[in-house]
Amino acid sequence: MPKIVDHDERRLELVDATWRIIARNGLEGATMREIALEAGFANGALKPYFPTKDTLLEFAFGHVFNRTNQRIVKVTEGKTGLPALRAFSMEVLPLDEERINEARIVIPFWQKAINDPQKAALHQQSMDEWLTTIRRYLAEARDNGDIKAAIDDAALAGQLLNMLLGAQIVAALAPAGHPGPGLDEQLEGFFTLLTR
Amino acid sequence: MPKIVDHDERRLELVDATWRIIARNGLEGATMREIALEAGFANGALKPYFPTKDTLLEFAFGHVFNRTNQRIVKVTEGKTGLPALRAFSMEVLPLDEERINEARIVIPFWQKAINDPQKAALHQQSMDEWLTTIRRYLAEARDNGDIKAAIDDAALAGQLLNMLLGAQIVAALAPAGHPGPGLDEQLEGFFTLLTR
C-alpha cells in the first residue's frame, strides 16, 4: 500500500522551515536547497509542493496572515468597539518573538511585492480586510459613545493600520531581544487621543 | 594632462541609475552590470566607486535620507512647533512620484537590514535623528499651548514616525499612479487628534 502523505501538513512544515531560514539567513540566503535541508526533505522533493521560491514565499505570507487572523479571532471573542480594537491592534503589534519573526517574513514579502503585481494584490486584499475590521470596531465605538472625535473613520483606520505596519519595521530591524521598546505605549497613546 | 573626474558627481550618477533600475526591475534584478549600463559606465568601471552591490545600496540609502533632510530643511525654514511638524511630516509622506520612488528604495534597504547589523544601525541612526526632530517640534507646540494631550512625547513621536514608515509601504505597493490615497487626510486626522 502506498504511504499516505498529508500534503497540507507537508506544506506547513516547509513554511516553518522557510521562516527559520529567512530569519537566520535573510531572503537571498534562503535557497530552495537550504529550505529542503532544514525541513528534512530530499533535495528536489520540494518541487511538487512549491515549484519556485516565489510560490513558497506567497504561500508563507498567506499563512502568516491567516495565523495572525486566527489569533485575532481568539483575542477579540465576545468583544466589540474599543476593547475589540485594542485586542486586534495588540495582536498585530510585534510584541513577542513569534510576531517579530512574522515581521521578518512580511518585509521581504513587501520588497518582492514592489515589482510583483500578484503579490501586491495579495497584500492589498489582506490590508483591505483589516481596514474593514478596524472600521467595524470604530463604528461600534462611535455607537456607544467611546469615540467622539470629528475625524473620518477612514482616516482613523488608515492611521492605525500604517502605525501597525511601521511597527513591523521597527521590530524586525531592532537588535535581537529588543522588540521595539514603546510600541504598546504608542498604541495606548493613540487610544488616549481617540477617546479623550 | 589626465582628465579630471568629479568622483562625488560620478557616485551620484550611479545612485540615480541604481534607483531607476531598482524601481524598474526590483532589488534582485538590479545587477552591477545593469546599473553600469544604465549609468553609461563601462562594465567593471563601477568597482573603484562601489566594490559591491551592498556598498552601493548603503550609499544610495544614505543619499535618499540626506536628500529628504535637505527638503525638510527648506520646508521647515522659519517654522517651529506644529507648523514645523506638519511640514516635516508632509515631506516624509510619499505623496509624489519622487518620494514614492524613494519608498521603493527604502523597503529593499529595510529587507537587507534585517540580517545586516551595519545597515540596521544606519537605519536606527536616521530614525533617531528624526525622533529628535519630532520631539523638538512637539516640545515647542506644548510650550505655545498647541498640544495639551496628556501623553508622553516619546509615545507621540513614535506613533507619528511609525505612521510615516507604514505610509512608505502603502505607497510603494500601490498600483502605479495611485500614491496611497488618503495619506494626507490621515496626517491631518492625527493633527486634529493632537490639538483638539
Side-chain angles (χ1 to χ4, degrees):
Chain A
M1 255 175 67
K3 206 167 77 171
I4 292 166
V5 177
D6 184 334
H7 291 291
D8 289 344
E9 188 59 40
R10 299 290 267 164
R11 264 192 203 92
L12 291 186
E13 282 167 32
L14 285 171
V15 166
D16 280 336
T18 306
W19 281 331
R20 289 193 299 270
I21 292 285
I22 291 184
R24 203 185 303 152
N25 303 345
L27 187 62
E28 280 89 356
T31 61
M32 291 297 265
R33 194 192 164 83
E34 286 275 347
I35 294 166
L37 194 71
E38 173 80 21
F41 278 55
N43 198 9
L46 266 71
K47 281 261 167 352
Y49 296 99
F50 298 107
T52 63
K53 189 173 150 183
D54 239 41
T55 52
L56 175 52
L57 193 66
E58 213 161 289
F59 185 83
F61 176 73
H63 183 65
V64 164
F65 190 72
N66 287 340
R67 206 165 59 165
T68 308
N69 281 342
Q70 282 164 8
R71 292 196 314 255
I72 288 170
V73 166
K74 262 189 209 160
V75 295
T76 57
E77 209 191 331
K79 296 190 177 79
T80 58
L82 225 46
L85 189 60
R86 176 177 279 114
F88 166 90
S89 305
M90 288 292 282
E91 201 52 56
V92 176
L93 274 190
L95 294 175
D96 59 24
E97 203 50 40
E98 181 185 10
R99 287 173 284 167
I100 295 171
N101 274 333
E102 291 178 355
R104 291 196 183 110
I105 300 291
V106 83
I107 294 176
F109 182 85
W110 286 334
Q111 186 253 306
K112 286 274 191 188
I114 296 174
N115 296 91
D116 180 336
Q118 193 177 323
K119 287 196 184 53
L122 179 58
H123 166 79
Q124 194 56 55
Q125 187 196 321
S126 306
M127 294 307 102
D128 285 347
E129 284 178 34
W130 277 1
L131 284 172
T132 303
T133 302
I134 293 172
R135 292 189 61 169
R136 187 176 72 242
Y137 296 144
L138 287 173
E140 290 165 356
R142 286 203 188 270
D143 278 352
N144 68 23
D146 277 345
I147 299 181
K148 292 182 199 73
I151 297 157
D152 194 63
D153 277 357
L156 286 181
Q159 207 175 309
L160 176 60
L161 183 61
N162 286 354
M163 207 167 79
L164 296 174
L165 295 184
Q168 310 300 316
I169 297 159
V170 171
L173 267 64
H178 296 86
L183 290 177
D184 41 358
E185 285 89 346
Q186 286 170 29
L187 187 68
E188 278 316 306
F190 179 72
F191 280 102
T192 306
L193 287 179
L194 266 188
T195 53
R196 79 206 166 94
Chain B
M1 256 175 66
K3 206 167 79 174
I4 293 166
V5 176
D6 183 335
H7 292 292
D8 288 345
E9 187 59 39
R10 300 290 267 163
R11 266 192 202 91
L12 290 185
E13 281 167 33
L14 285 170
V15 166
D16 280 335
T18 306
W19 281 332
R20 289 194 298 274
I21 292 286
I22 291 183
R24 203 186 302 151
N25 303 345
L27 187 62
E28 280 89 354
T31 61
M32 291 297 263
R33 194 192 164 83
E34 285 275 348
I35 293 166
L37 195 70
E38 175 79 20
F41 278 55
N43 199 10
L46 266 71
K47 281 261 165 355
Y49 297 99
F50 299 108
T52 62
K53 188 173 151 183
D54 239 40
T55 53
L56 175 51
L57 192 65
E58 214 161 289
F59 185 83
F61 176 72
H63 184 64
V64 163
F65 190 72
N66 287 340
R67 207 166 60 166
T68 308
N69 280 343
Q70 282 163 10
R71 293 195 314 254
I72 288 170
V73 167
K74 262 190 208 159
V75 296
T76 56
E77 210 189 331
K79 296 191 177 79
T80 58
L82 224 47
L85 189 61
R86 177 179 276 114
F88 166 90
S89 306
M90 288 293 282
E91 201 52 57
V92 176
L93 274 189
L95 294 174
D96 59 24
E97 202 52 39
E98 183 186 6
R99 286 173 284 170
I100 295 171
N101 274 334
E102 291 177 355
R104 291 195 184 112
I105 300 292
V106 84
I107 294 176
F109 181 86
W110 288 332
Q111 186 252 305
K112 285 275 190 185
I114 295 174
N115 297 89
D116 180 336
Q118 193 177 324
K119 287 196 183 55
L122 179 58
H123 166 79
Q124 194 56 55
Q125 186 195 323
S126 306
M127 294 307 100
D128 286 346
E129 284 178 35
W130 277 3
L131 284 172
T132 303
T133 302
I134 293 173
R135 292 189 62 169
R136 188 176 71 242
Y137 297 145
L138 287 173
E140 290 165 354
R142 286 201 188 271
D143 278 350
N144 68 23
D146 276 347
I147 299 180
K148 293 183 199 74
I151 298 156
D152 192 61
D153 277 356
L156 286 182
Q159 207 175 307
L160 177 60
L161 183 61
N162 285 353
M163 208 168 78
L164 296 174
L165 295 184
Q168 311 299 317
I169 298 158
V170 171
L173 268 64
H178 295 85
L183 291 178
D184 41 357
E185 286 88 346
Q186 286 171 29
L187 187 68
E188 279 315 307
F190 179 71
F191 280 102
T192 306
L193 287 179
L194 266 189
T195 53
R196 78 207 166 92

